[in-house]
Amino acid sequence: MLKGLCRRILADKQMWSKAKLFAAAALSMINMCTYILMMFEFMREEKTGFAHIMTGSIFVNLGLQLGMVIFQNFKLGWRKALTEVLIALTCINPGVDAFRVASETEIVEGQTVDPKAEMAFNKSVELFAEASPGTVAQMAAIMNTGSNTSSNAAFGFACCVLTAALPSSNMSIDWDTSKKKRKTSPSIYGYVPDKEKEKVLVFSFLCFLSAFNLLTRALTCVLLQLKGGVGACGESTRRRASSLLRRESAEERHVVLDATLRG
Amino acid sequence: MWYWMPLYGVSGGGVSFIARLVVKVIGDWASIVQMRHPPETGGFYFVISLLVTITIGIVAADGFEEVEGEEDTLTKETVMKTMTTCCVGMIVSFVALLCSMKKAYIHTLLSTKTENKHLHDNFTNNEGDEAMFNIFTVNKHKWRKVIGSEVKAWLYTNIPIWLEEQPAWFNEHAMSVIPEDNIDDPEILAHIRTRNVQEMIQERRGSFMGRALMLPVPTPKRGDEVEEEVGKADAEVVYR
């Protein structure tokens, strides 16, 4: 049954793009919930440093999104602007954006950009202000607690990584398959194959690449912070390499000495 | 230094700085393949960034030291294993991506082409008038010095043809994005600056995003629109 549903979704291009949109929006909203949940958990456990990082990133994200909402709707009157501000404050913005794009809502006179551009902006802000710093903070917390990591923390972390990976792959695919962009800049746009199955493959590899890259960077940041910066880590690697070289040259000297003595 | 958006002066400089910062952070952290475009970070930088991530990651994991005496901390072995899994995952997914994408585009991931060169090539390779026309939606500083005279000559030859043939893409929005200093002939200028086009330009001047993205200004259907269309048709008859 599930296989049949997947086939139907893949066969219908519009349905596939809508499914992608709503999946990313749902994930984004779940991530915001787990983010807030984790923030309170850190506060309860008196890990104020992590709690402050997460609070800061939520405020930056909300602040930028509110700025965009006001910029987009201020010409339409305070009632409309206030409604949009409330939507942003209740964190259901990703869902509303996805609905508007899926239902092909047109730009209204007085608005600055169309719903597609607004959604792309909000996704970029989410990646910039929430997903990237959130992954680092949660990775640091997990490393700090070791084997006592709660399932909430693990779930929140997984959501954070997926929230970064899915929209970024979505954006890549959507931009590349845009007919207008392929027509105006064919030397750059067009790397995604036209067959649906191959498109899904590319989408999955983009997701994996994005997720693994984010994990590597987050882990690196936490390790560097523990060690005291890139310099300190580089220094320890250099010392280890030079001691290894010294040991090798000492062994070589021994071999030469042995050979001389035997000779 | 300038970002591709056609914004100039202090606001243009500020927007360029912020845009470059955001693009770099998003491109580096989420590895969006679209950032390999010359106007963003470039193909070569995209691949180098992945390699640097792996190298620094391994160096950082190698430098990790366990805290002695504490039972519940991570061991060096676990850290090394996690880092190796992440790095191998990155390499495998990147290679799989290279194998599954269209082969003709693989070179774009190793390209060292700059944004200016990309724009000049797009224009001079002549991929059709509509594609060439995109030059007006990007910052003038990026092309005026090198191919400015070519653009002027191209406009001088082609605007009369477009006005006569009226291709679908050469609409009022397209007319409004042509900078006046690129047209020396006042007669041609008069034909592409109809009242509607001038209104569009005025409205865009009042909107920051409109200027940044050269957006078509949404104009509602008005009663006097019919008059405008009649006036435009008259102008075309006179021109012919």
Side-chain angles (χ1 to χ4, degrees), chain A residues 71 109 112 145 147-148 172 175 183-184 186 188-191 193 205-206 210 213-214 216-217 220 227 237 240, chain B residues 28 30-34 36-37 49 53 57 59 62-63 65 72 76 86 100 102 105 130 134 209 215 220:
Chain A
F71 194 58
E109 195 205 345
T112 319
T145 43
S147 58
N148 294 331
S172 286
W175 282 336
K183 199 175 174 186
T184 50
I188 291 289
Y189 292 97
Y191 72 89
F205 295 138
L206 282 172
S210 187
N213 180 42
L214 188 62
T216 312
R217 278 180 172 262
T220 307
K227 187 79 187 172
T237 310
R240 286 186 56 177
Chain B
D28 281 355
S31 61
I32 300 175
V33 179
Q34 236 57 28
R36 79 193 195 289
H37 289 197
S49 163
T53 305
V59 169
D62 184 58
E65 280 161 17
D72 207 29
K76 182 158 185 167
C86 291
S100 56
K102 282 186 192 166
Y105 288 87
E130 194 182 351
N134 271 328
M209 284 298 268
L215 295 169

Side-chain angles (χ1 to χ4, degrees), chain A residues 71 75 107-109 112-113 124 127-128 132 136 143 145-148 164 168 171-172 175-176 182-194 202 205-206 208-210 212-221 223-224 226-227 233-234 236-237 240, chain B residues 21-22 25-26 28-38 46 49-50 53 56-57 59-65 72 74 76 79 82-83 85-87 89-90 93-94 96-97 100-102 105 108 118 122 127 130-131 134 207-209 213 215 218 220:
Chain A
F71 194 58
K75 281 185 189 165
I107 182 170
V108 182
E109 195 205 345
T112 319
V113 291
S124 307
L127 283 174
F128 175 74
S132 315
V136 179
M143 285 187 73
T145 43
S147 58
N148 294 331
S168 60
M171 273 155 83
S172 286
W175 282 336
D176 191 77
R182 281 190 175 192
K183 199 175 174 186
T184 50
S185 197
S187 59
I188 291 289
Y189 292 97
Y191 72 89
V192 178
D194 301 320
V202 170
F205 295 138
L206 282 172
F208 283 125
L209 177 66
S210 187
F212 279 121
N213 180 42
L214 188 62
L215 282 172
T216 312
R217 278 180 172 262
L219 184 57
T220 307
C221 279
L223 291 174
L224 289 180
L226 286 175
K227 187 79 187 172
C233 273
S236 87
T237 310
R240 286 186 56 177
Chain B
L21 179 77
V22 172
V25 171
I26 294 176
D28 281 355
W29 281 82
S31 61
I32 300 175
V33 179
Q34 236 57 28
M35 297 303 172
R36 79 193 195 289
H37 289 197
F46 180 81
S49 163
L50 293 181
T53 305
I56 298 183
V59 169
D62 184 58
F64 176 75
E65 280 161 17
D72 207 29
L74 284 170
K76 182 158 185 167
V79 170
T82 316
M83 185 58 87
T85 313
C86 291
C87 293
M90 241 171 105
S93 33
F94 185 62
L97 178 68
S100 56
M101 70 195 275
K102 282 186 192 166
Y105 288 87
T108 57
H118 170 71
N122 257 9
E127 287 167 341
E130 194 182 351
N134 271 328
S207 151
F208 183 76
M209 284 298 268
L213 301 173
L215 295 169

Side-chain angles (χ1 to χ4, degrees), chain B residues 41-208:
Chain B
T41 58
F44 188 66
Y45 173 84
F46 180 81
V47 176
I48 288 292
S49 163
L50 293 181
L51 289 177
V52 168
T53 305
I54 292 171
T55 314
I56 298 183
I58 289 169
V59 169
D62 184 58
F64 176 75
E65 280 161 17
E66 289 170 38
V67 183
E68 281 176 23
E70 280 184 32
E71 278 181 13
D72 207 29
T73 52
L74 284 170
T75 58
K76 182 158 185 167
E77 199 190 338
T78 318
V79 170
M80 262 323 238
K81 269 186 188 168
T82 316
M83 185 58 87
T84 314
T85 313
C86 291
C87 293
V88 170
M90 241 171 105
I91 295 167
V92 170
S93 33
F94 185 62
V95 173
L97 178 68
L98 289 182
C99 296
S100 56
M101 70 195 275
K102 282 186 192 166
K103 303 287 171 283
Y105 288 87
I106 290 179
H107 74 94
T108 57
L109 284 160
L110 296 168
S111 164
T112 51
K113 200 187 247 186
T114 61
E115 185 183 4
N116 295 9
K117 181 85 176 70
H118 170 71
L119 286 171
H120 304 164
D121 285 355
N122 257 9
F123 186 81
T124 45
N125 288 349
N126 197 355
E127 287 167 341
D129 286 342
E130 194 182 351
M132 287 164 83
F133 202 83
N134 271 328
I135 198 92
F136 299 119
T137 56
V138 292
N139 198 303
K140 277 192 276 188
H141 296 307
K142 304 213 157 278
W143 54 268
R144 201 166 50 180
K145 206 173 169 184
V146 183
I147 54 164
S149 53
E150 272 178 66
V151 174
K152 265 189 183 179
W154 173 69
L155 279 179
Y156 183 75
T157 326
N158 286 292
I159 287 181
I161 300 170
W162 298 330
L163 281 171
E164 201 172 314
E165 289 176 356
Q166 293 189 337
W169 61 267
F170 192 65
N171 48 21
E172 285 179 335
H173 169 244
M175 289 182 201
S176 72
V177 299
I178 303 174
E180 283 184 15
D181 54 358
N182 274 279
I183 302 167
D184 294 330
D185 189 339
E187 202 181 327
I188 293 178
L189 191 66
H191 282 289
I192 63 160
R193 287 288 188 261
T194 59
R195 208 198 307 170
N196 263 1
V197 172
Q198 276 173 350
E199 269 179 26
M200 259 184 196
I201 296 167
Q202 282 303 323
E203 264 190 75
R204 198 183 292 126
R205 273 184 194 146
S207 151
F208 183 76

